[in-house]
Amino acid sequence: MKGSTMNKAEIINELCQYLETEVEDFCRETHLDTSFSRLGLDSMGHVQLSAILEKHTGQEIDPTLGFDYPTINSLINHLFSTAEEPANAL
């Protein structure tokens, strides 16, 4: 993703911080592979996740991406696997 300042750990941390405010009993140590729907995230939650990702990637992120890649790990892995400049982005 050209011009992005993607840092995997920072993005995961910010996603976890958001989920900790929205999901009762969210635990970043055990929920990185738990689906967003199982966590109880609604469509507004998906929009917020997209906004967090957009801030870090500098790219528009479709809120439905969280449905295609329904966990933090799968979403992050997808973003980094499709990055245009992975060597610079990581």
Side-chain angles (χ1 to χ4, degrees), residues 34-49:
T34 302
S35 71
F36 298 124
S37 63
R38 186 171 177 108
L39 293 171
L41 204 64
D42 61 13
S43 58
M44 287 304 297
H46 282 270
V47 171
Q48 185 58 38
L49 289 180

Side-chain angles (χ1 to χ4, degrees), residues 22-77:
E22 297 297 316
V23 177
E24 186 175 329
D25 298 327
F26 177 81
C27 175
R28 63 181 62 208
E29 287 79 24
T30 60
H31 287 139
L32 293 180
D33 288 309
T34 302
S35 71
F36 298 124
S37 63
R38 186 171 177 108
L39 293 171
L41 204 64
D42 61 13
S43 58
M44 287 304 297
H46 282 270
V47 171
Q48 185 58 38
L49 289 180
S50 296
I52 292 168
L53 295 172
E54 287 176 358
K55 183 178 92 177
H56 284 278
T57 64
Q59 304 279 319
E60 185 174 333
I61 303 292
D62 188 330
T64 63
L65 191 64
F67 293 103
D68 295 331
Y69 301 94
T71 69
I72 291 174
N73 279 337
S74 65
L75 186 57
I76 294 299
N77 288 336

